[in-house]
Amino acid sequence: MAPPIPEVAPEITVGVIAAITAFLTISILLGYLMRKKAKSFEEWLVGRGDIGPLVTGFALVATYLSGWAIFGNAGLGYAYGWSGSWLIGTTSVAGIALCLVIGYRMRRYVAFGTRTVPEMLRVRFESRTVQALAGLAMIVLLIVYSVGQYKAMATVWTITTNTPFYGSLLATAILVLVYLSVGGYTGTQWVSGFQGVLLTIVGWTLGIAALIWAGGPAEIAGAIGTQTFTYPGGNQTQISLKDYTLPLPPPEGLAFPGVDYVGVVVAVFMFLFMATGFPHNIARFLGTRKITKREYWMMLPILVVGGLTPLWIGVVGLAARTVWGDSLMATNPPIYGDSAAVYASISAGGVPLASLFAASVFAAAVATLAGMVMVMATNITRDFIHNAYPKASPKKLLRLTKLMLIPFIAIPLWWTFTSPPPILSEFMAGSAVAQAGIFFFVVGVSMYWKRATKWGAISTIIYGLTLTILHPKAYGKFVGLYHWGYWALLLMFGAASIYFIISLATKPVPEERLEKLFPARK
Amino acid sequence: MSKIHGLLAIMVLCIILVPVIAYLLGGWYTYWGHALLAIVFGVLVVFIKTRYYWEEE
């Protein structure tokens, strides 16, 4: 018989609240200090272009990881066994390294007044339409991503404080609002760097502790091999978890990326493209100073160590499945298997590890959510209003930005309230595919490919957004698109084809206008 | 074939081998094997950038 799921003792609640308070205080203080040093709002957003490789490396780790990696991956390992590893991101390091190589060129655009990714696109394509469309795409996709952050935070809060899930959601929304109102919001490079260090240390520690707690690698492999899949809610099946694919029954089962080898191959490409495609990720390079070759190599081990963190959180889920079997799949609706990491942190590490883990989830989720809310609000003011009315007063724009924070906190909150995703990381993968498919090409490739045109970029964004709506769990089933792998293939490689074909078929940006962005190599 | 093409071929192999080792090996060998392939890919992409495409400002 499986050992009981741990009860949450009062000292755990106290420890978690203390750790979260400490983390938020440090983040807010760091944000405040950086804001005091900055001479303008723009300077605060991206610094003075003087951020070194260490802080940039850890900041990249922090923005990449967010709630899916530090928290949701345990739910994937727990619910799907080995086949969950395709979304856990076992190949994450390849994508982050590619982002390191491609993203560094973002620095070039700072000299032309660029402070955000859509602004970079306006400069690259000399088009306000591209800027506005990119802003719109970011809003749509970041709202989806924000839902995941809410679920991560609310789950930790629910389990460790014994508060009902929906009360926890409200509590976390208030926390984000407080975090924003006291100025901890943009996740400046330094704050993100601090969070990246925290996430990496806690992720590795929890993963190793869980591995030992469950009896070691052989014990886990043996246990996963004997278990079968259970749906969120508790319906058991005879489908074994022993393989790297999980043949769930069609049509609903086809929406799982690990259902067959088409899905898993596409998932590998998603991880290859998404680190560069995440606008909040590649924007980290806007504040980076000039880096030497040696410093470039210094960043790689940081990204490797940080990029392995999602794997350790996946190990936590596999360990929890080994110890508790499928019992979590039927408890705590709508949390289900996503609670694996929290319970495992309590069982494997007691109060200290459970508290640190809770603080890390908040580090990842609050900062990402606050950063995304800020980005979406800025998309409205900078990419739409200021774009259409360049003479609008900065004071009014700032006031409007603050006002726009409220709807962008409320919309994903309402979504999580009315329709919380049963398995967080699986849900967030939908947005990740779209960001990878659209922005890897429109932002990443466009910095290197002179022949890219604004029509290529516009078509890619429109196509990518349309396909996003046709996700198998959204409207795809109405047009026969049940299979996640075919959907993601159509989105990413369709976006790539459209980007290149339309760019080549339309008038190129004149060479003399591109000279400043593509100077001849020395 | 130049050296850079050889390195690019290894990078492509790192991607192709991901589903192959999942099919052939399974378990922890696949789990950490994927990470190892990704690290090799990462080292090569940074090597190519710094060795062949370094941009002086």
Side-chain angles (χ1 to χ4, degrees):
Chain A
M1 199 180 135
I5 294 159
E7 293 287 326
V8 177
E11 56 265 31
I12 288 181
T13 307
V14 172
V16 165
I17 292 173
I20 290 171
T21 309
F23 148 72
L24 288 176
T25 309
I26 294 171
S27 292
I28 289 165
L29 277 176
L30 268 174
Y32 179 73
L33 275 174
M34 290 305 120
R35 190 169 50 167
K36 264 184 92 177
K37 278 174 90 177
K39 291 190 184 102
S40 64
F41 182 65
E42 275 83 4
E43 208 175 78
W44 183 51
L45 275 174
V46 295
R48 278 166 287 184
D50 58 354
I51 305 292
L54 286 178
V55 177
T56 302
F58 278 113
L60 256 180
V61 168
T63 47
Y64 179 74
L65 292 184
S66 82
W68 70 270
I70 195 68
F71 173 81
N73 277 355
L76 282 171
Y78 182 84
Y80 295 115
W82 299 118
S83 64
S85 74
W86 300 106
L87 290 186
I88 283 170
T90 45
T91 55
S92 281
V93 171
I96 306 178
L98 200 56
C99 176
L100 170 66
V101 164
I102 293 175
Y104 185 59
R105 210 176 257 198
M106 286 291 282
R107 293 184 67 251
R108 239 177 230 185
Y109 291 81
V110 179
F112 304 103
T114 291
R115 296 294 179 271
T116 63
V117 169
E119 283 179 352
M120 171 260 158
L121 291 174
R122 187 195 66 216
V123 172
R124 169 63 183 83
F125 294 109
E126 295 187 334
S127 165
R128 292 182 185 277
T129 312
V130 176
Q131 180 186 358
L133 256 180
L136 176 71
M138 282 173 68
I139 288 173
V140 172
L141 301 174
L142 294 188
I143 282 177
V144 178
Y145 231 64
S146 302
V147 173
Q149 313 305 326
Y150 269 124
K151 191 187 174 190
M153 286 188 292
T155 300
V156 172
W157 195 260
T158 298
I159 294 173
T160 55
T161 63
N162 286 319
T163 313
F165 181 75
Y166 295 100
S168 299
L169 261 180
L170 262 184
T172 52
I174 292 166
L175 208 66
V176 171
L177 200 62
V178 171
Y179 186 71
L180 283 162
S181 61
V182 294
Y185 41 110
T186 52
T188 57
Q189 300 283 59
W190 283 92
V191 178
S192 295
F194 156 67
Q195 289 162 355
V197 173
L198 180 70
L199 297 182
T200 304
I201 293 173
V202 173
W204 277 68
T205 309
L206 178 57
I208 294 167
L211 195 69
I212 297 165
W213 162 69
E219 181 74 23
I220 294 175
I224 297 296
T226 60
Q227 305 226 8
T228 55
F229 178 69
T230 300
Y231 284 98
N235 277 345
Q236 293 178 324
T237 71
Q238 293 304 310
I239 307 165
S240 172
L241 297 184
K242 69 180 169 53
D243 294 321
Y244 269 78
T245 53
L246 189 71
L248 296 174
E252 284 83 9
L254 298 178
F256 173 57
V259 73
D260 58 22
Y261 274 92
V262 175
V264 304
V265 168
V266 183
V268 174
F269 281 99
M270 176 187 86
F271 276 100
L272 199 58
F273 295 153
M274 79 181 205
T276 308
F278 284 165
H280 50 287
N281 220 28
I282 202 164
R284 292 296 118 209
F285 290 98
L286 287 168
T288 308
R289 67 165 162 77
K290 185 184 170 186
I291 282 175
T292 63
K293 279 188 191 180
R294 198 163 156 258
E295 289 173 328
Y296 221 84
W297 277 107
M298 270 170 59
M299 287 171 84
L300 186 64
I302 294 172
L303 299 183
V304 168
V305 174
L308 292 178
T309 307
L311 278 83
W312 282 117
I313 300 298
V315 168
V316 176
L318 295 169
R321 184 79 187 209
T322 302
V323 175
W324 292 313
D326 67 351
S327 50
L328 295 179
M329 294 305 284
T331 52
N332 282 332
I335 300 172
Y336 305 117
D338 276 339
S339 60
V342 186
Y343 285 125
S345 70
I346 295 169
S347 292
V351 178
L353 194 53
S355 308
L356 269 176
F357 176 66
S360 301
V361 174
F362 270 74
V366 172
T368 308
L369 183 57
M372 285 179 174
V373 166
M374 189 64 193
V375 166
M376 289 187 279
T378 315
N379 284 146
I380 297 286
T381 46
R382 284 184 90 106
D383 302 325
F384 292 125
I385 297 176
H386 187 247
N387 197 355
Y389 307 100
K391 286 183 181 167
S393 117
K395 231 178 189 176
K396 277 185 185 164
L397 285 175
L398 189 61
R399 211 174 300 150
L400 187 64
T401 305
K402 286 180 178 168
L403 200 67
M404 292 311 297
L405 296 177
I406 296 166
F408 287 122
I409 286 179
I411 295 168
L413 176 69
W414 177 250
W415 187 332
T416 324
F417 240 104
T418 52
S419 177
I423 297 174
L424 179 143
S425 283
E426 189 183 357
F427 169 80
M428 288 170 76
S431 171
V433 167
Q435 291 182 68
I438 295 172
F439 293 113
F440 179 85
F441 300 101
V442 171
V443 177
V445 177
S446 296
M447 286 193 289
Y448 293 84
W449 192 45
K450 281 169 126 177
R451 191 60 183 80
T453 68
K454 71 173 181 181
W455 292 111
I458 288 170
S459 320
T460 307
I461 296 172
I462 293 172
Y463 174 84
L465 281 178
T466 311
L467 259 287
T468 305
I469 297 164
L470 297 179
H471 185 285
K473 285 194 175 170
Y475 295 96
K477 50 184 175 276
F478 299 116
V479 293
L481 208 47
Y482 294 102
H483 195 291
W484 186 90
Y486 293 131
W487 167 77
L489 192 75
L490 269 177
L491 200 161
M492 289 191 291
F493 290 92
S497 308
I498 284 175
Y499 171 79
F500 288 113
I501 292 168
I502 303 283
S503 287
L504 289 172
T506 49
K507 196 178 158 196
V509 180
E511 193 70 29
E512 62 273 18
R513 289 200 213 157
L514 288 176
E515 267 173 14
K516 58 184 183 182
L517 298 174
F518 295 87
R521 284 180 71 189
K522 289 174 188 170
Chain B
M1 196 168 74
S2 67
K3 194 176 171 189
I4 192 166
H5 285 110
L7 295 172
L8 286 171
I10 298 173
M11 283 171 64
V12 172
L13 201 62
C14 286
I15 302 299
I16 292 171
L17 282 177
V18 170
V20 174
I21 66 166
Y23 183 77
L24 295 176
L25 298 178
W28 290 117
Y29 291 108
T30 296
Y31 198 82
W32 294 108
H34 284 175
L36 190 63
L37 287 170
I39 292 168
V40 173
F41 181 97
V43 170
L44 289 178
V45 77
V46 172
F47 177 76
I48 290 173
K49 165 90 176 179
T50 51
R51 178 78 176 75
Y52 299 101
Y53 295 99
W54 187 248
E55 295 164 359
E56 290 296 340
E57 292 171 59

